[in-house]
Amino acid sequence: MTLTFPSNAASRHSMLARKYRYLLALAQSRHFGRAAASCHVSPSTLSAAVRDLESELGVAIVERGRTFSGFTAEGLSVVDYARRMSAVEADFRLHLSKMGGGLSGRLSLGVIPTALTVVAGLSVALAQRHPQLRLEILSLNTGAILRGVQAFELDGGIVYTESSNVEGLDFMPLWQERHVLIAGQRIAASLRDTMSWSEAGQLPLCLLTPDMQNRKTIDRVFDALGARPQPSLETNSIVSMLAHVGSGPWCAILPGSVLDVVGTPKGVKVVRLVEPTVTWETGLITVAREPRPVGVEALLAAARTTRER
């Protein structure tokens, strides 16, 4: 049986879908000009589309002003609906590609910076199963990952277990690891192969910024010991940490898996942290929805393969 739709109905659906895409771009950039540029239209075209949508739905979507200042309560509901519809459309396209013999399309995965190296194992497992899939890896903090998954902007995320207890989201533990201290040439010679956390707190430290979940977990270890280290350098980049330790008078605390994957920089000493011995666990967080989206199922299957290795 062949289903046909009147041409005017199909055209109306296409126009409505386009207006929702404009609205999502505005929600992401929170600026009419940048949203229009991302959609390859003029700001006046995007503004007109939003006004048309408001007229069709009978509600105000955007707070009125000379510049974008936010969405109304009704507008936030419309944005949420648009996100859901966009996610359903993307999932349906993945489903059709799967029926055609090979999953193809794009998946987005948000990853905390400290897991950007170890997540390569998951990426490899996914590529082996679905070579036509395009995977987008985004370095984000935990809050941005949770918001992205909840808003259907991300298909999944890699976070710490302690951050995974969120209503509406599922979590699959994948990796356990310990943190190590690394020291550059200027200080390495004076350090033993093992060191207590309290001793580490007395060193000139380069740590991730306080908003990063890894930094928060490290701070909790020091807090439990009654230690108050004062890092002399903070960054939100693991690469920056490695570069500074390798060339300057700093030490850093980071997951041992980072060095397992990228290697230890020349001249850098790795020190095992003890007293206490602390283990962290990270894993895959996805939206809790039945039936699961095709992309989420693909991520979970790859994650199970990764966990079995």
Side-chain angles (χ1 to χ4, degrees), residues 164-184:
S164 66
N165 188 22
V166 179
E167 185 177 356
L169 298 181
D170 289 331
F171 181 74
M172 178 187 291
L174 291 178
W175 305 288
Q176 283 191 338
E177 60 185 355
R178 294 178 180 177
H179 280 43
V180 297
L181 180 134
I182 60 173

Side-chain angles (χ1 to χ4, degrees), residues 112-118 142 159-162 175-183 192-198 200 205-209 212-222 238 241-242 251-260 264 269-283:
I112 53 176
T114 50
L116 282 171
T117 51
V118 71
T142 300
V159 299
Y160 287 109
T161 298
E162 61 193 62
W175 305 288
Q176 283 191 338
E177 60 185 355
R178 294 178 180 177
H179 280 43
V180 297
L181 180 134
I182 60 173
R192 305 186 308 275
D193 291 337
T194 62
M195 176 184 295
S196 71
W197 280 82
S198 294
L205 290 175
C206 168
L207 297 178
L208 289 174
T209 51
M212 309 298 285
Q213 188 63 37
N214 177 265
R215 171 65 182 277
K216 293 176 182 178
T217 59
I218 287 174
D219 284 347
R220 279 196 287 271
V221 175
F222 283 124
I238 290 290
M241 291 176 71
L242 293 172
C251 300
I253 297 175
L254 75 174
S257 61
V258 172
L259 303 179
D260 292 339
T264 304
K269 181 181 180 66
V270 181
V271 177
R272 188 162 57 93
L273 290 172
V274 296
E275 299 178 27
T277 297
V278 186
T279 300
W280 279 276
E281 186 175 59
T282 54

Side-chain angles (χ1 to χ4, degrees), residues 7-22 49-50 52-53 56:
S7 59
N8 61 337
S11 176
R12 176 176 172 77
H13 174 77
S14 176
M15 287 189 293
L16 187 61
R18 185 167 62 252
K19 292 171 186 176
Y20 279 133
R21 286 197 294 272
Y22 293 168
V50 173
D52 287 347
L53 197 56
E56 292 174 21

Side-chain angles (χ1 to χ4, degrees), residues 2-252:
T2 302
L3 296 178
T4 60
F5 296 92
S7 59
N8 61 337
S11 176
R12 176 176 172 77
H13 174 77
S14 176
M15 287 189 293
L16 187 61
R18 185 167 62 252
K19 292 171 186 176
Y20 279 133
R21 286 197 294 272
Y22 293 168
L23 189 63
L24 290 178
L26 181 59
Q28 183 173 29
S29 66
R30 303 188 68 80
H31 187 278
F32 278 103
R34 289 193 292 270
S38 70
C39 295
H40 307 291
V41 298
S42 68
S44 59
T45 297
L46 189 140
S47 296
V50 173
R51 287 194 298 271
D52 287 347
L53 197 56
E54 290 178 319
S55 177
E56 292 174 21
L57 297 177
V59 297
I61 293 175
V62 177
E63 297 284 359
R64 291 300 172 221
R66 292 179 61 86
T67 59
F68 179 81
S69 59
F71 293 100
T72 64
E74 295 85 354
L76 291 173
S77 294
V78 176
V79 170
D80 181 63
Y81 173 81
R83 283 175 177 148
R84 291 174 182 273
M85 292 303 99
S86 178
V88 168
E89 180 183 359
D91 183 60
F92 183 57
R93 291 182 182 278
L94 284 173
H95 174 72
L96 291 177
S97 72
K98 185 178 181 180
M99 291 179 64
L103 200 61
S104 64
R106 183 179 67 88
L107 295 182
S108 292
L109 187 67
V111 183
I112 53 176
T114 50
L116 282 171
T117 51
V118 71
V119 77
L122 176 62
S123 304
V124 169
L126 188 66
Q128 289 173 338
R129 286 173 169 267
H130 307 289
Q132 298 180 71
L133 266 181
R134 292 178 289 113
L135 181 62
E136 180 182 45
I137 302 289
L138 301 174
S139 176
L140 300 169
N141 64 32
T142 300
I145 291 172
L146 297 179
R147 290 191 297 272
V149 175
Q150 290 172 316
F152 307 100
E153 295 171 348
L154 295 171
D155 297 287
I158 302 298
V159 299
Y160 287 109
T161 298
E162 61 193 62
S163 306
S164 66
N165 188 22
V166 179
E167 185 177 356
L169 298 181
D170 289 331
F171 181 74
M172 178 187 291
L174 291 178
W175 305 288
Q176 283 191 338
E177 60 185 355
R178 294 178 180 177
H179 280 43
V180 297
L181 180 134
I182 60 173
Q185 291 179 344
R186 300 187 191 182
I187 194 172
S190 63
L191 301 181
R192 305 186 308 275
D193 291 337
T194 62
M195 176 184 295
S196 71
W197 280 82
S198 294
E199 291 173 315
Q202 303 301 314
L203 297 172
L205 290 175
C206 168
L207 297 178
L208 289 174
T209 51
D211 62 302
M212 309 298 285
Q213 188 63 37
N214 177 265
R215 171 65 182 277
K216 293 176 182 178
T217 59
I218 287 174
D219 284 347
R220 279 196 287 271
V221 175
F222 283 124
D223 288 343
L225 297 171
R228 293 292 187 273
Q230 298 296 321
S232 55
L233 178 63
E234 295 176 321
T235 175
N236 63 358
S237 167
I238 290 290
V239 172
S240 179
M241 291 176 71
L242 293 172
H244 280 87
V245 169
S247 58
W250 295 282
C251 300

